[in-house]
């Protein structure tokens, strides 16, 4: 695979997280409705998942819908959910072929029945795969995730399942959506914005950040390789020397 020539195969980031931004602008630039941008964005999702599987990334966390995205016009929100259902129905077999497991992070309890049904179905179908784990962040907010973890820990303390002295960073990590997973090594944001936007606030404490002006529908395997090459050049010290 000649695209991988520039990177060190022995130092592939285990966990990559991506803020997929720029679908709307991609469509507007072409005089198309914003939803056409989201459709194009799904094609990128497919390509990047497949590529991450091939190069041996273990976890890929994608920000698909934030708790703030409800503020968008109803029409766009419902189009996004339709696309999600369509994607899950259509792509689950392809994901299976690639040995991908799907995991969902965020509060999906308020989603409509058909959406939750597809989510459950896809999860079930792929649950025995042991390749790339894709975390789809849906109705996800990093602060809310932390608040919910605090509430769960308080419940544990009240019912004497947890003692106060046991509360540390490691214990806390077991009460967030990514419990049991390594933190992202690399956080990528497309679309020319330099914000974290309430994504994985706890988990990105030591992640390398990589930004590009490229809009998500145009984001390519080559772009991902440049991100990984830059990541490999940076020395990660975790606060040490
Ligand atoms: C940001 O573009 C993108 C989103 C809010 C949603 C991301 C969704 C997809 C890539 C498609 C759905 C994914 C799956 C897996 C079903 P934007 O609309 O904020 O773009 P803009 O900043 O140009 O307006």
């Amino acid at each position: 695979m000649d695209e991988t020539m520039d990177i060190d195969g022995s130092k592939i980031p285990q966990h990559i997280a991506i803020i997929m931004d720029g679908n709307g602008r991609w469509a507007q630039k072409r005089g198309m409705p914003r939803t056409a941008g989201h459709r194009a964005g799904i094609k990128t999702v497919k390509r990047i998942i497949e590529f991450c599987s091939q190069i041996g990334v273990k976890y890929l966390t994608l920000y698909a819908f934030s708790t703030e995205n409800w503020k968008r016009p109803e029409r766009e929100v419902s189009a996004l959910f339709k696309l999600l259902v369509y994607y899950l129905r259509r792509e689950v077999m392809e994901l299976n072929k690639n040995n991908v497991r799907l995991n969902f992070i965020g509060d999906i309890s308020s989603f409509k029945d058909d959406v939750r049904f597809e989510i459950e179905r896809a999860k079930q179908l792929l649950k025995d795969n042991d390749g790339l784990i894709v975390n789809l962040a849906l109705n996800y907010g990093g602060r809310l995730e932390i608040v919910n973890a605090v509430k769960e820990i308080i419940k544990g303390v009240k019912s004497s399942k947890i003692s106060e002295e046991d509360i540390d960073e490691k214990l806390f990590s077991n009460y967030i959506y990514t419990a049991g997973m390594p933190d992202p090594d690399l956080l990528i944001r497309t679309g020319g914005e330099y914000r974290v936007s309430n994504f994985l606030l706890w988990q990105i404490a030591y992640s390398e950040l990589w930004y590009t002006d490229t809009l998500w529908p145009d984001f390519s395997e080559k772009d991902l390789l440049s991100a990984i090459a830059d990541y490999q050049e940076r020395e990660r010290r975790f606060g040490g020397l």
Side-chain angles (χ1 to χ4, degrees), residues 13-18 183-188 204 206-210 224 226-231 234 236:
Q14 257 201 101
H15 185 169
I16 299 179
I18 308 184
D183 289 335
D185 304 291
L186 174 62
L187 171 66
I188 294 174
I204 60 169
Y206 291 104
S207 305
E208 293 290 339
L209 308 183
W210 194 88
L224 183 60
S226 323
I228 295 175
D230 286 349
Y231 160 85
R234 299 182 197 172
R236 298 179 74 206

Side-chain angles (χ1 to χ4, degrees), residues 20-26 28 34 38 41-42 45 62-65 69 72 76 80 83-84 87 136 193 215-216:
M20 311 180 285
D21 199 9
N23 294 345
R25 275 165 289 158
W26 182 92
Q28 274 157 356
R34 294 177 53 82
H38 297 314
I42 286 197
V45 168
L62 300 172
Y63 208 2
F65 195 86
N69 285 149
R72 295 186 177 206
E76 184 172 341
L80 271 167
L83 272 174
L84 172 69
Y87 169 79
L136 263 193
E193 229 69 75
L215 305 174
W216 177 249

Side-chain angles (χ1 to χ4, degrees), residues 149-207:
V150 170
K151 285 184 182 164
E152 281 305 308
I153 292 169
I154 290 175
K155 266 194 223 160
V157 171
K158 278 189 176 159
S159 62
S160 307
K161 274 196 215 111
I162 303 171
S163 70
E164 193 183 330
E165 305 79 69
D166 291 340
I167 303 174
D168 58 11
E169 293 180 15
K170 190 162 170 281
L171 179 132
F172 193 88
S173 299
N174 291 330
Y175 287 83
I176 53 178
Y177 290 119
T178 52
M181 302 180 195
D183 289 335
D185 304 291
L186 174 62
L187 171 66
I188 294 174
R189 180 167 189 150
T190 65
E193 229 69 75
Y194 307 121
R195 286 190 291 274
V196 171
S197 298
N198 205 14
F199 193 41
L200 304 176
L201 295 181
W202 174 271
Q203 296 90 332
I204 60 169
Y206 291 104
S207 305

